[in-house]
Amino acid sequence: DTGVSQDPRHKITKRGQNVTFRCDPISEHNRLYWYRQTLGQGPEFLTYFQNEAQLEKSRLLSDRFSAERPKGSFSTLEIQRTEQGDSAMYLCASSLSGGPVGNEQFFGPGTRLTVL
Amino acid sequence: TQLLEQSPQFLSIQEGENLTVYCNSSSVFSSLQWYRQEPGEGPVLLVTVVTGGEVKKLKRLTFQFGDARKDSSLHITAAQPGDTGLYLCAGGQGGKLIFGQGTELSVKP
């Protein structure tokens, strides 16, 4: 069983550049989530998909952020015109809707973004 | 906005001591998860509780979900240096999880 994977693990970019992150969920999971975590805080929800449908977006997800899951498998999160305030750990998680035990979400290792 | 308050935020103890971390909210959650996170890594799921009053044990860790499903606690018996890390509680609401701010635990040998 390969868990949730994310690529890249680290990204350093200059302010104003665009970045894209990829997440591959656990293969049998139909739900995929994106969270953002800053130092000293718990993760904050950004958005989630069930299969290819984006079901919910947080108000944190400004119009510079876009997420896709075109075939209901992997997902990408793009940030356009990055700002220093976008520096954070971006976490992806996946789950199986209707699973036997609550809303168990399994997280990937995260992508650490640093905007200079 | 639903909030989960964790306490304490920081805890530094000696190996062998016992400790309890609390997670409180004014909202009802359908489930509550506890995660442990190490620096630079994603959170690792420890346990999920779904029934009010439920108690689950994982070796030296005991998790309890409040009767009203608004609060939870994590108790560690005889803490070891390997227990060091950030402990996060997260409440399930709709599709997403609402996280507490975490408890940073340091266990000194």
Side-chain angles (χ1 to χ4, degrees), chain A residues 9-10 39 89 109 112, chain B residues 36-42 84-86 104:
Chain A
R9 291 293 311 276
H10 304 275
L39 209 58
M89 174 79 93
R112 166 72 65 190
Chain B
R36 180 168 167 267
Q37 186 178 26
E38 301 210 20
E41 298 294 331
T84 293
L86 179 68
E104 188 72 54

Side-chain angles (χ1 to χ4, degrees), chain B residues 56-75:
Chain B
K56 281 192 174 178
K57 292 193 175 185
L58 187 66
K59 297 182 179 178
R60 295 176 292 101
L61 278 61
T62 302
F63 305 85
Q64 186 160 7
F65 202 11
D67 291 339
R69 291 187 291 134
K70 293 182 179 181
D71 56 86
S72 181
S73 64
L74 157 61
H75 182 79

Side-chain angles (χ1 to χ4, degrees), chain A residues 14-57:
Chain A
K14 293 183 179 180
R15 190 176 53 185
Q17 297 294 306
N18 299 342
V19 294
T20 300
F21 309 140
R22 176 180 170 124
C23 171
D24 286 86
I26 293 171
S27 57
E28 63 267 28
H29 285 181
N30 59 342
R31 284 189 174 179
L32 187 150
Y33 310 80
W34 286 99
Y35 291 83
R36 181 172 68 187
Q37 186 178 24
T38 53
L39 209 58
Q41 300 295 321
E44 294 176 295
F45 170 78
L46 293 178
T47 188
Y48 89 95
F49 296 82
Q50 180 159 309
N51 301 313
E52 64 274 10
Q54 190 171 19
L55 295 189
E56 188 173 348
K57 290 194 296 186

Side-chain angles (χ1 to χ4, degrees), chain A residues 96-109:
Chain A
L96 185 62
S97 64
V101 187
N103 184 17
E104 289 195 320
Q105 296 183 19
F106 296 87
F107 283 81

Side-chain angles (χ1 to χ4, degrees), chain B residues 23-107:
Chain B
C23 179
N24 295 297
S25 175
S26 57
S27 301
V28 175
F29 293 99
S30 56
S31 65
L32 198 135
Q33 280 81 30
W34 283 92
Y35 292 85
R36 180 168 167 267
Q37 186 178 26
E38 301 210 20
E41 298 294 331
V44 175
L45 181 65
L46 296 175
V47 78
T48 299
V49 285
V50 295
T51 306
E54 184 175 3
V55 177
K56 281 192 174 178
K57 292 193 175 185
L58 187 66
K59 297 182 179 178
R60 295 176 292 101
L61 278 61
T62 302
F63 305 85
Q64 186 160 7
F65 202 11
D67 291 339
R69 291 187 291 134
K70 293 182 179 181
D71 56 86
S72 181
S73 64
L74 157 61
H75 182 79
I76 301 179
T77 303
Q80 298 176 0
D83 295 327
T84 293
L86 179 68
Y87 289 81
L88 295 158
C89 65
Q93 195 65 247
K96 61 182 179 282
L97 292 177
I98 307 296
F99 279 85
Q101 75 270 44
T103 295
E104 188 72 54
L105 172 65
S106 174
V107 183

